[in-house]
Short mmCIF file of all heavy atoms in Angstrom, two decimals:
data_model
loop_
_atom_site.label_atom_id
_atom_site.label_comp_id
_atom_site.label_asym_id
_atom_site.label_seq_id
_atom_site.Cartn_x
_atom_site.Cartn_y
_atom_site.Cartn_z
N GLN A 475 -22.88 20.23 -6.52
CA GLN A 475 -23.75 21.38 -6.77
C GLN A 475 -24.61 21.15 -8.02
O GLN A 475 -25.17 22.09 -8.56
CB GLN A 475 -22.94 22.67 -6.84
CG GLN A 475 -21.90 22.68 -7.91
CD GLN A 475 -21.76 24.04 -8.54
OE1 GLN A 475 -22.59 24.91 -8.32
NE2 GLN A 475 -20.72 24.22 -9.33
N GLY A 478 -24.86 22.80 -13.93
CA GLY A 478 -25.81 22.93 -15.03
C GLY A 478 -25.45 24.10 -15.91
O GLY A 478 -24.83 25.07 -15.45
N ALA A 479 -25.79 23.97 -17.18
CA ALA A 479 -25.59 25.08 -18.11
C ALA A 479 -26.34 24.78 -19.40
O ALA A 479 -26.49 23.62 -19.79
CB ALA A 479 -24.11 25.29 -18.42
N TYR A 480 -26.81 25.84 -20.05
CA TYR A 480 -27.43 25.76 -21.37
C TYR A 480 -28.50 24.67 -21.46
O TYR A 480 -28.55 23.88 -22.40
CB TYR A 480 -26.34 25.65 -22.46
CG TYR A 480 -25.42 26.83 -22.33
CD1 TYR A 480 -24.18 26.71 -21.71
CD2 TYR A 480 -25.86 28.09 -22.72
CE1 TYR A 480 -23.39 27.84 -21.48
CE2 TYR A 480 -25.07 29.21 -22.50
CZ TYR A 480 -23.86 29.08 -21.88
OH TYR A 480 -23.09 30.18 -21.65
N GLY A 481 -29.36 24.66 -20.41
CA GLY A 481 -30.55 23.79 -20.46
C GLY A 481 -30.36 22.37 -19.97
O GLY A 481 -31.28 21.56 -20.07
N TYR A 513 -31.78 22.43 -8.28
CA TYR A 513 -30.99 23.52 -8.87
C TYR A 513 -29.77 23.87 -7.99
O TYR A 513 -29.94 24.33 -6.87
CB TYR A 513 -31.90 24.74 -9.07
CG TYR A 513 -31.19 26.00 -9.47
CD1 TYR A 513 -30.41 26.07 -10.62
CD2 TYR A 513 -31.31 27.15 -8.69
CE1 TYR A 513 -29.77 27.23 -10.98
CE2 TYR A 513 -30.67 28.32 -9.05
CZ TYR A 513 -29.89 28.35 -10.19
OH TYR A 513 -29.25 29.51 -10.54
N ARG A 514 -28.57 23.57 -8.48
CA ARG A 514 -27.30 23.84 -7.79
C ARG A 514 -27.27 23.29 -6.36
O ARG A 514 -26.68 23.88 -5.46
CB ARG A 514 -26.98 25.35 -7.75
CG ARG A 514 -26.76 25.99 -9.09
CD ARG A 514 -25.53 25.44 -9.80
NE ARG A 514 -25.19 26.23 -10.97
CZ ARG A 514 -25.73 26.07 -12.17
NH1 ARG A 514 -26.63 25.12 -12.38
NH2 ARG A 514 -25.33 26.82 -13.19
N TYR A 544 -32.04 26.57 -25.35
CA TYR A 544 -31.56 27.71 -24.56
C TYR A 544 -31.22 28.87 -25.51
O TYR A 544 -30.51 28.68 -26.50
CB TYR A 544 -30.32 27.30 -23.76
CG TYR A 544 -29.93 28.28 -22.66
CD1 TYR A 544 -30.37 28.09 -21.36
CD2 TYR A 544 -29.11 29.38 -22.93
CE1 TYR A 544 -30.02 28.98 -20.36
CE2 TYR A 544 -28.76 30.27 -21.93
CZ TYR A 544 -29.21 30.06 -20.64
OH TYR A 544 -28.86 30.94 -19.64
N LYS A 545 -31.76 30.05 -25.16
CA LYS A 545 -31.77 31.18 -26.11
C LYS A 545 -30.41 31.44 -26.79
O LYS A 545 -30.30 31.40 -28.02
CB LYS A 545 -32.26 32.43 -25.39
CG LYS A 545 -32.61 33.58 -26.30
CD LYS A 545 -33.40 34.65 -25.53
CE LYS A 545 -33.30 36.00 -26.20
NZ LYS A 545 -32.46 36.94 -25.47
N ASP A 546 -29.39 31.66 -25.98
CA ASP A 546 -28.08 32.00 -26.56
C ASP A 546 -27.54 30.89 -27.46
O ASP A 546 -26.94 31.14 -28.50
CB ASP A 546 -27.04 32.19 -25.44
CG ASP A 546 -27.14 33.55 -24.80
OD1 ASP A 546 -28.09 34.29 -25.14
OD2 ASP A 546 -26.29 33.87 -23.94
N ARG A 572 -19.39 30.45 -23.86
CA ARG A 572 -18.78 30.62 -22.53
C ARG A 572 -17.55 31.52 -22.62
O ARG A 572 -17.34 32.39 -21.77
CB ARG A 572 -18.39 29.25 -21.94
CG ARG A 572 -19.57 28.42 -21.45
CD ARG A 572 -19.10 27.18 -20.72
NE ARG A 572 -18.55 27.50 -19.41
CZ ARG A 572 -19.24 27.42 -18.27
NH1 ARG A 572 -20.49 26.98 -18.27
NH2 ARG A 572 -18.68 27.73 -17.13
N LYS A 575 -18.34 35.17 -22.68
CA LYS A 575 -19.02 35.80 -21.53
C LYS A 575 -18.34 35.58 -20.20
O LYS A 575 -18.56 36.32 -19.26
CB LYS A 575 -20.40 35.15 -21.35
CG LYS A 575 -21.41 35.46 -22.33
CD LYS A 575 -22.76 35.01 -21.74
CE LYS A 575 -23.88 35.72 -22.43
NZ LYS A 575 -25.14 35.51 -21.75
N LEU A 576 -17.62 34.45 -20.10
CA LEU A 576 -17.09 34.07 -18.79
C LEU A 576 -15.57 34.15 -18.79
O LEU A 576 -14.94 33.75 -19.77
CB LEU A 576 -17.54 32.64 -18.43
CG LEU A 576 -19.05 32.45 -18.31
CD1 LEU A 576 -19.42 30.97 -18.26
CD2 LEU A 576 -19.58 33.15 -17.07
N ALA A 585 -15.03 32.22 -9.82
CA ALA A 585 -15.65 30.93 -9.47
C ALA A 585 -16.97 30.77 -10.22
O ALA A 585 -17.95 30.25 -9.69
CB ALA A 585 -15.88 30.85 -7.96
N GLY A 586 -17.02 31.24 -11.46
CA GLY A 586 -18.26 31.17 -12.24
C GLY A 586 -19.30 32.08 -11.61
O GLY A 586 -18.96 33.11 -11.00
N SER A 587 -20.56 31.70 -11.72
CA SER A 587 -21.63 32.53 -11.14
C SER A 587 -21.42 32.64 -9.64
O SER A 587 -21.25 31.63 -8.96
CB SER A 587 -22.99 31.90 -11.39
OG SER A 587 -23.23 31.76 -12.76
N PHE A 589 -23.67 34.08 -7.59
CA PHE A 589 -24.97 34.00 -6.92
C PHE A 589 -25.85 33.02 -7.66
O PHE A 589 -25.69 32.82 -8.87
CB PHE A 589 -25.67 35.37 -6.91
CG PHE A 589 -24.86 36.46 -6.28
CD1 PHE A 589 -24.12 37.35 -7.06
CD2 PHE A 589 -24.81 36.61 -4.90
CE1 PHE A 589 -23.36 38.36 -6.48
CE2 PHE A 589 -24.05 37.62 -4.31
CZ PHE A 589 -23.32 38.49 -5.11
N HIS A 590 -26.79 32.40 -6.92
CA HIS A 590 -27.85 31.63 -7.57
C HIS A 590 -28.78 32.59 -8.29
O HIS A 590 -28.93 33.74 -7.87
CB HIS A 590 -28.71 30.91 -6.53
CG HIS A 590 -28.02 29.81 -5.80
ND1 HIS A 590 -27.67 29.90 -4.49
CD2 HIS A 590 -27.65 28.58 -6.20
CE1 HIS A 590 -27.09 28.78 -4.11
NE2 HIS A 590 -27.06 27.97 -5.13
N ASN A 591 -29.45 32.10 -9.32
CA ASN A 591 -30.60 32.84 -9.84
C ASN A 591 -31.73 32.57 -8.86
O ASN A 591 -32.14 31.42 -8.69
CB ASN A 591 -30.96 32.35 -11.24
CG ASN A 591 -30.02 32.90 -12.30
OD1 ASN A 591 -29.56 34.04 -12.20
ND2 ASN A 591 -29.72 32.10 -13.31
N PRO A 610 -35.30 38.96 -17.25
CA PRO A 610 -35.57 37.59 -17.73
C PRO A 610 -36.14 36.73 -16.60
O PRO A 610 -35.60 36.70 -15.51
CB PRO A 610 -34.19 37.08 -18.17
CG PRO A 610 -33.35 38.30 -18.35
CD PRO A 610 -33.86 39.28 -17.34
N TYR A 612 -37.76 32.80 -15.85
CA TYR A 612 -37.88 31.44 -16.39
C TYR A 612 -38.81 30.64 -15.48
O TYR A 612 -38.46 30.41 -14.31
CB TYR A 612 -36.51 30.74 -16.44
CG TYR A 612 -35.37 31.62 -16.96
CD1 TYR A 612 -34.53 32.32 -16.08
CD2 TYR A 612 -35.15 31.77 -18.32
CE1 TYR A 612 -33.49 33.13 -16.55
CE2 TYR A 612 -34.12 32.58 -18.80
CZ TYR A 612 -33.29 33.25 -17.90
OH TYR A 612 -32.29 34.04 -18.37
N SER A 622 -33.42 36.33 -13.28
CA SER A 622 -32.01 36.49 -13.61
C SER A 622 -31.29 37.43 -12.64
O SER A 622 -31.52 38.64 -12.63
CB SER A 622 -31.89 37.04 -15.04
OG SER A 622 -30.57 37.49 -15.26
N GLY A 624 -28.12 38.02 -12.77
CA GLY A 624 -27.17 38.78 -13.58
C GLY A 624 -27.81 40.07 -14.09
O GLY A 624 -27.20 41.15 -14.06
N TRP A 625 -29.06 39.96 -14.55
CA TRP A 625 -29.76 41.14 -15.08
C TRP A 625 -29.96 42.19 -13.98
O TRP A 625 -29.73 43.38 -14.19
CB TRP A 625 -31.11 40.74 -15.70
CG TRP A 625 -31.78 41.89 -16.37
CD1 TRP A 625 -31.64 42.27 -17.68
CD2 TRP A 625 -32.66 42.87 -15.77
NE1 TRP A 625 -32.37 43.40 -17.93
CE2 TRP A 625 -33.01 43.79 -16.78
CE3 TRP A 625 -33.17 43.04 -14.48
CZ2 TRP A 625 -33.86 44.88 -16.54
CZ3 TRP A 625 -34.01 44.12 -14.24
CH2 TRP A 625 -34.35 45.02 -15.26
N ASP A 628 -26.64 43.78 -13.10
CA ASP A 628 -26.25 44.62 -14.25
C ASP A 628 -27.04 45.93 -14.23
O ASP A 628 -26.47 47.03 -14.38
CB ASP A 628 -26.57 43.80 -15.52
CG ASP A 628 -25.95 44.37 -16.77
OD1 ASP A 628 -25.29 45.42 -16.67
OD2 ASP A 628 -26.12 43.77 -17.84
N LYS A 633 -21.75 46.10 -13.29
CA LYS A 633 -20.88 45.43 -14.27
C LYS A 633 -19.60 46.23 -14.46
O LYS A 633 -19.65 47.45 -14.67
CB LYS A 633 -21.62 45.30 -15.58
CG LYS A 633 -21.20 44.12 -16.41
CD LYS A 633 -21.87 44.18 -17.76
CE LYS A 633 -22.79 43.02 -17.97
NZ LYS A 633 -23.48 43.10 -19.26
N LYS A 645 -18.22 41.45 -18.59
CA LYS A 645 -19.13 40.90 -19.60
C LYS A 645 -20.26 40.06 -19.00
O LYS A 645 -21.10 39.56 -19.73
CB LYS A 645 -18.34 40.02 -20.58
CG LYS A 645 -17.32 40.77 -21.37
CD LYS A 645 -16.59 39.83 -22.29
CE LYS A 645 -15.34 40.48 -22.83
NZ LYS A 645 -14.39 39.47 -23.32
N GLN A 646 -20.24 39.84 -17.67
CA GLN A 646 -21.28 39.01 -17.04
C GLN A 646 -21.37 39.42 -15.58
O GLN A 646 -20.47 39.13 -14.78
CB GLN A 646 -20.89 37.53 -17.13
CG GLN A 646 -21.94 36.50 -17.47
CD GLN A 646 -23.16 36.44 -16.54
OE1 GLN A 646 -23.36 37.27 -15.65
NE2 GLN A 646 -23.99 35.44 -16.78
N ALA A 647 -22.46 40.09 -15.24
CA ALA A 647 -22.55 40.69 -13.90
C ALA A 647 -22.71 39.66 -12.78
O ALA A 647 -22.58 40.00 -11.61
CB ALA A 647 -23.72 41.67 -13.86
N LEU A 648 -22.99 38.40 -13.16
CA LEU A 648 -23.17 37.37 -12.13
C LEU A 648 -21.82 36.80 -11.65
O LEU A 648 -21.76 36.04 -10.70
CB LEU A 648 -24.04 36.24 -12.72
CG LEU A 648 -24.77 35.29 -11.79
CD1 LEU A 648 -25.55 36.04 -10.73
CD2 LEU A 648 -25.69 34.38 -12.58
N GLU A 683 -23.39 31.53 -4.35
CA GLU A 683 -23.44 30.17 -4.88
C GLU A 683 -22.23 29.31 -4.46
O GLU A 683 -22.42 28.20 -3.99
CB GLU A 683 -23.59 30.24 -6.40
CG GLU A 683 -24.15 28.98 -7.01
CD GLU A 683 -23.08 28.19 -7.68
OE1 GLU A 683 -22.04 28.76 -8.06
OE2 GLU A 683 -23.25 26.99 -7.79
N1 EPU B 731 -28.01 39.15 -18.08
C1 EPU B 731 -27.82 40.50 -18.14
N2 EPU B 731 -26.62 41.02 -17.72
C2 EPU B 731 -25.63 40.23 -17.25
C3 EPU B 731 -25.82 38.83 -17.18
C4 EPU B 731 -27.03 38.30 -17.60
O1 EPU B 731 -28.69 41.25 -18.56
O2 EPU B 731 -24.59 40.79 -16.88
C5 EPU B 731 -29.30 38.59 -18.58
C6 EPU B 731 -29.36 38.51 -20.08
O3 EPU B 731 -30.68 38.79 -20.46
C7 EPU B 731 -29.08 37.05 -20.38
C8 EPU B 731 -29.71 36.36 -19.17
O4 EPU B 731 -29.49 37.27 -18.08
O5 EPU B 731 -29.69 36.64 -21.57
C9 EPU B 731 -29.10 35.02 -18.87
O6 EPU B 731 -27.67 35.12 -18.83
P1 EPU B 731 -26.75 33.82 -19.03
O7 EPU B 731 -27.21 33.01 -20.20
O8 EPU B 731 -25.33 34.25 -19.02
O9 EPU B 731 -27.13 32.94 -17.76
P2 EPU B 731 -27.10 33.23 -16.22
O10 EPU B 731 -28.48 33.01 -15.71
O11 EPU B 731 -26.47 34.54 -15.93
C10 EPU B 731 -26.71 30.70 -15.69
C11 EPU B 731 -25.83 29.85 -14.83
C12 EPU B 731 -24.45 29.70 -15.48
C13 EPU B 731 -24.63 29.05 -16.84
C14 EPU B 731 -25.57 29.92 -17.69
C15 EPU B 731 -25.93 29.25 -18.99
C16 EPU B 731 -26.53 30.08 -12.51
C17 EPU B 731 -26.22 30.66 -11.17
N3 EPU B 731 -25.69 30.41 -13.51
O12 EPU B 731 -26.16 32.01 -15.72
O13 EPU B 731 -23.69 28.81 -14.67
O14 EPU B 731 -23.39 28.91 -17.53
O15 EPU B 731 -26.84 30.12 -16.97
O16 EPU B 731 -26.75 28.15 -18.76
O17 EPU B 731 -27.50 29.34 -12.65
C18 EPU B 731 -22.15 28.73 -12.85
O18 EPU B 731 -23.03 28.13 -12.22
O19 EPU B 731 -21.03 28.98 -12.35
C19 EPU B 731 -22.44 29.18 -14.21
C20 EPU B 731 -21.57 29.89 -14.92
#
Side-chain angles (χ1 to χ4, degrees):
Q475 59 144 348
Y480 303 101
Y513 171 58
R514 295 295 190 276
Y544 194 94
K545 193 167 158 252
D546 280 7
R572 286 187 73 97
K575 288 194 159 191
L576 298 167
S587 301
F589 303 99
H590 291 109
N591 282 325
Y612 316 96
S622 166
W625 186 90
D628 193 359
K633 208 187 243 178
K645 296 180 195 160
Q646 221 303 8
L648 200 50
E683 201 256 337

